C-alpha cells in the first residue's frame, strides 16, 4: 500500500474474523520489520513485546475480566473490550536499560537506578522518572509502527490499557517477571483480521457467555470520542 492507504486502512478493531487467523510467521515478519527499522535512543530498546496466541478459553475469559471497560457498570451491562479477543495479543512492558547509559557516558546517574527485574518495584524518584520518560516515548513509537505495519498487510489492531484493573495478574499471564530486565506492564494490543468497520457486530462476552454488541462502529468513533480542534493540537510558533 502507499502511505495514505495504510493510515486510512487502520482502525481500532472490536470485531474479529474468526475464520482467518494470521499465521505466526506473518506476525513474526511484521515484528522483525519493525525491529530492524524503528528508531531507538542509542539503540537501547527500553521495552519488550510479549506475544500470546489467544486461543486458551480460560485465559481469554480471565483477560476479558481484568479488562472490564466501565467500572461503574456490572459485568452484565459492561460493553467490554472485545479488541482483546483478537487471535493474537501483544503485551508491552518497560525494559530496564538504565545501565546502558554508561556505555559511553561513564558518569551518568541513570546507570545507578534500581528496579532491575524479578518483580522489584521501581523507586519513585526524579532519577527513576528519567528512564520512564524514554520508555513512554518509545513504547508509543513502537506501538504505532506495529499498527501500521500490520495494516500494511491487511491485519487490524486494537489497544487496551485496562490491565490497570489488575496489573499483578496480567503480568503473570504475560510472564513479565521471567526476565530480569522486565519492568512495568503497560498495555495490550490485539491483532488479527478484522471484519468491516461500518457494522455493529455482536460478539460473545466470555465473562458471562452472553452475546453483546461491540462498543461502537469504528466508523463512528468521532460520535463517541470527538476530536479536538486541529488548532488546539497543532501550534505554529
Amino acid at each position: 500500500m502507499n502511505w495514505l492507504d495504510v493510515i486510512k486502512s487502520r482502525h481500532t478493531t472490536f470485531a474479529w474474523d474468526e475464520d482467518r487467523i494470521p499465521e505466526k510467521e506473518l506476525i513474526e515478519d511484521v515484528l522483525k520489520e519493525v525491529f530492524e527499522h524503528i528508531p531507538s535512543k542509542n539503540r537501547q530498546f527500553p521495552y519488550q513485546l510479549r506475544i500470546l496466541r489467544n486461543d486458551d478459553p480460560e485465559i481469554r475469559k480471565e483477560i476479558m475480566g481484568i479488562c472490564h471497560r466501565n467500572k461503574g457498570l456490572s459485568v452484565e451491562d459492561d460493553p467490554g473490550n472485545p479488541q482483546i479477543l483478537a487471535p493474537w495479543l501483544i503485551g508491552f512492558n518497560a525494559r530496564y536499560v538504565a545501565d546502558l547509559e554508561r556505555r559511553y557516558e561513564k558518569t551518568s546517574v541513570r546507570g545507578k537506578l534500581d528496579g532491575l527485574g524479578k518483580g522489584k518495584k521501581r523507586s519513585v524518584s526524579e532519577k527513576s522518572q528519567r528512564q520512564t520518560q524514554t520508555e513512554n516515548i518509545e513504547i508509543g513509537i513502537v506501538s504505532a509502527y506495529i499498527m501500521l505495519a500490520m495494516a500494511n498487510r491487511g491485519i487490524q489492531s486494537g489497544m487496551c490499557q485496562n490491565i490497570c484493573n489488575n496489573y499483578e495478574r496480567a503480568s503473570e499471564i504475560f510472564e513479565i517477571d521471567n526476565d530480569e530486565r522486565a519492568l512495568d506492564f503497560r498495555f495490550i494490543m490485539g491483532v488479527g483480521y478484522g471484519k468491516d468497520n461500518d457494522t455493529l457486530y455482536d460478539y460473545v462476552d466470555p465473562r458471562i457467555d452472553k452475546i453483546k454488541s461491540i462498543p461502537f462502529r469504528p466508523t463512528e468513533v468521532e460520535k463517541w470520542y470527538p476530536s479536538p480542534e486541529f488548532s488546539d493540537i497543532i501550534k505554529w510558533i
Side-chain angles (χ1 to χ4, degrees):
M1 296 186 197
N2 66 39
W3 170 244
L4 194 56
D5 289 336
V6 170
I7 60 176
K8 284 183 175 180
S9 67
R10 188 219 67 82
H11 63 270
T12 297
T13 300
F14 300 118
W16 304 101
D17 187 343
E18 298 178 357
D19 296 324
R20 291 197 303 153
I21 308 298
E23 295 291 337
K24 178 181 178 181
E25 291 74 18
L26 180 56
I27 300 296
E28 188 172 24
D29 284 346
V30 171
L31 298 177
K32 285 181 177 178
E33 178 181 283
V34 169
F35 179 77
E36 290 171 3
H37 298 285
I38 197 167
S40 179
K41 179 181 182 293
N42 296 334
R43 305 300 292 166
Q44 291 179 2
F45 292 87
Y47 52 80
Q48 294 174 330
L49 311 180
R50 298 174 179 275
I51 322 304
L52 174 68
R53 177 67 176 93
N54 194 23
D55 58 355
D56 183 316
E58 291 303 314
I59 294 297
R60 282 166 60 90
K61 179 178 180 179
E62 189 169 8
I63 294 175
M64 191 71 174
I66 292 171
C67 294
H68 191 93
R69 188 181 186 88
N70 297 122
K71 290 184 177 180
L73 297 177
S74 68
V75 67
E76 287 78 13
D77 296 326
D78 179 51
N81 280 305
Q83 63 268 42
I84 60 169
L85 296 178
W88 292 94
L89 298 180
I90 303 177
F92 294 74
N93 67 275
R95 173 176 176 264
Y96 184 86
V97 297
D99 56 326
L100 301 181
E101 288 286 344
R102 308 187 82 183
R103 288 184 291 188
Y104 302 108
E105 187 62 47
K106 303 301 183 183
T107 61
S108 173
V109 296
R110 297 188 185 193
K112 299 178 182 179
L113 292 180
D114 58 3
L116 177 57
K118 296 297 182 184
K120 293 181 180 178
K121 301 300 183 183
R122 189 198 307 269
S123 293
V124 179
S125 68
E126 181 183 353
K127 291 180 181 179
S128 70
Q129 295 307 311
R130 294 175 183 174
Q131 182 181 323
T132 304
Q133 181 180 28
T134 304
E135 293 162 7
N136 290 341
I137 292 169
E138 295 209 20
I139 288 174
I141 293 172
V142 72
S143 63
Y145 265 61
I146 291 171
M147 285 189 292
L148 295 175
M150 293 287 183
N152 192 43
R153 291 164 173 80
I155 301 173
Q156 290 297 345
S157 57
M159 293 192 291
C160 181
Q161 197 178 13
N162 283 25
I163 56 169
C164 61
N165 293 328
N166 190 343
Y167 274 126
E168 183 175 356
R169 178 54 186 149
S171 297
E172 290 176 354
I173 293 172
F174 281 81
E175 301 180 355
I176 301 296
D177 287 345
N178 286 9
D179 188 316
E180 66 177 7
R181 285 188 173 266
L183 293 173
D184 314 326
F185 197 11
R186 297 297 175 78
F187 64 90
I188 296 172
M189 177 189 293
V191 296
Y193 292 112
K195 297 179 180 179
D196 77 84
N197 62 354
D198 197 30
T199 301
L200 192 65
Y201 286 101
D202 291 334
Y203 76 98
V204 177
D205 187 335
R207 295 174 294 179
I208 54 176
D209 195 28
K210 177 182 177 182
I211 296 176
K212 295 182 179 179
S213 295
I214 62 174
F216 55 83
R217 296 177 179 86
T219 53
E220 296 180 344
V221 63
E222 283 289 335
K223 172 183 175 182
W224 296 92
Y225 299 106
S227 298
E229 293 294 328
F230 181 81
S231 59
D232 287 341
I233 306 302
I234 308 302
K235 301 293 184 180
W236 295 95
I237 307 301

